[in-house]
Structure formats: structure tokens, C-alpha cells
Amino acid sequence: MKSASPRAVRARGIVKCFGEVVALDGVELEVEPGRIHGLAGPNGAGKTTLLGLLLGLAVADSGTLEIFGTPVGRALAAPDGVTGFVDGPGLYPSLTARKNLAALAALRGRDARSAGIDEALAEVGLTDVADDRVRGFSLGMRQRLGLAAAMLTKPRLLVLDEPSNGLDPAGKRHVHGVLSRLAADGTAVVVSSHRMDDLEELCSEVTILSTGRVVFSGPLTKLAAETGELDYRLVTSDAEAARQVAAGTPGITVADETTWLVVRAGVPALDELVVRLVGAGVAIRELAPVVSPLEAAFLAITDQQEPNR
């Protein structure tokens, strides 16, 4: 019988302190190969510290950390097959994009001609600026070059801190596509971001940290189910008829707007509302959360106040 492949990351009871500050307090984390796992949390929650442990930039004070089944030792070194960046990629501003990647390849003992530099630049959409000096790059271009540098190593585990930082919509879509393709090929990806829409679009699972502790870890579907009632923007062909149907649906709270409704409901009540609207001949043109389930859960779990609409 074939044994199951080890998890890309398995952390148990991780504690990390900086003086009297407890950055991580008994953190548990599991990441499977071929998955994109999101990390969320307010500033100071411990996200950067956790990423640093995965990259070998720091070691835990206690607890165990395994990367692909191999225990991480006490030495400051990136485990085999792990790459990425924290607080932005480290680049040489006076060198071109191509020469930055060639320098990285040389540090790893690889010949620039066979390192796949052109392929990596093409993958992140930087072919046209491959011979431009990095000092003139925008923040988003630097982020994409950092991703290209990480891809040169053919990582089994890719760890990224705010990879969409500074990207325009087209650049973000490009980077999301790259990460999704890497995951489809079996790479485990851990992404930290303050942008809930990025995490919802990219990740199948998320871990939320608050004051160094894990307050949720699991599939986004489970998080959405645990969020409870949400406010939804409902646009229909007949706002008044929709209001009457919604008012008569158990579990629905209605707030009138000018040409649409805002309804507060849990998932079962929302499903029933949709059935009733269709039965009443009211066309549904838009039904979407005012605040995404992940953002709503994040705000609730971390005891932050939801901003006014």
C-alpha cells in the first residue's frame, strides 16, 4: 500500500518570542502540497514571524516544524525546496532584471544559460523590461521580479508576503494566474496578505492569526458557514416586489435603499429568499455580500469594528 505524501508544512505548538514580546503563541499550521494557503491577521498578529520561520530566517523557541516530513533544525537556513520573500524581494537596483536573476542562479551554482531565466521573466510578464535596471521599476514590477526569482529554484514550497502589493488589476491577475499554475503543478504556496479579496480569489484554505495565536484555520467554505448572517446587496427587476417577498421570508432582515435592497441573512434563509423571488417572477440581477465572508469573519474574529458602508 502506497503511503500518503507528507504535508508541505506541519507546525505544532510553535512559540517565538522577541524579548518579552510573544510573537507566536502555540501556533498550529498544516499546508498540503498543491494548495494555496492564506495567512491573514491584523498588524502585529505574527504573520511575518511565521513566514520567517518557514523560510529559515528564524527558528522557533519551542514547538516542532516539519517541511515535507523533515524536521527543521536549529540552523538559520532555508529548508530544501523552500523559497520566497518577506517584506518584499531582495534585489540589486543597479542591475537589470535579467542580471538579477543571473546573479541568483550563480549563487545557487547554476549556469545562467540553463537556469530558465527567460522563461521565468516571460511567466511573470517582464520580458519587455528584462534589460532595464531594477532601480527604475515600480513596486509591482519588483514584486513580479521577486516571484520570477523564486520560480528559478523550482520550489516545492513557495512563501510570499503581500505578493499583490503595488500591482494594477492586470498585474494582479497575471500573478494570480502564475500562483494558480504552480499550485496545479503540485507546489504548496503560502500567501500572507491584508487584502481579503486576494485571499478569497486565490486560496482554498486560510489561517487567521490574532496576537500571535491561531483563531481560525481551515477551508474558506467552513469560515463562510461559521460567519453567520451577512448583509447582501440585492438588485432585482422590481425592488418593491422584492422587498415584500423578503419581508415575508423567515430569517431575513430588510433595509430599503433607493433602487435595491440590503438584506441580512444566513445562508439557509438566503437560499429560501432566492426560491421565493423566482417563484414570484422577480428577476435577480445582482446578489452579493456587502462585505465578503472572509472580511466579515476577519473583522468579527479579531474584534475589529466593521467600517460603515
Side-chain angles (χ1 to χ4, degrees), residues 245 248-252 265-279:
V245 171
T249 302
I252 299 288
V267 172
L270 192 69
D271 291 343
E272 177 64 22
L273 174 60
V274 170
V275 171
R276 294 190 180 200
L277 288 172
V278 172

Side-chain angles (χ1 to χ4, degrees), residues 25 38 54 89 100 136 151 154 160 188 196 239 305:
D25 187 4
L54 297 179
N100 262 279
M151 291 169 59
K154 309 297 182 187
L160 300 174
M196 300 298 110
Q305 294 298 313

Side-chain angles (χ1 to χ4, degrees), residues 116-135:
I117 290 173
D118 289 341
E119 292 83 354
L121 289 168
E123 184 75 10
V124 299
L126 292 179
T127 299
D128 292 343
V129 294
D131 295 312
D132 292 352
R133 295 182 188 275
V134 170
R135 67 161 52 98

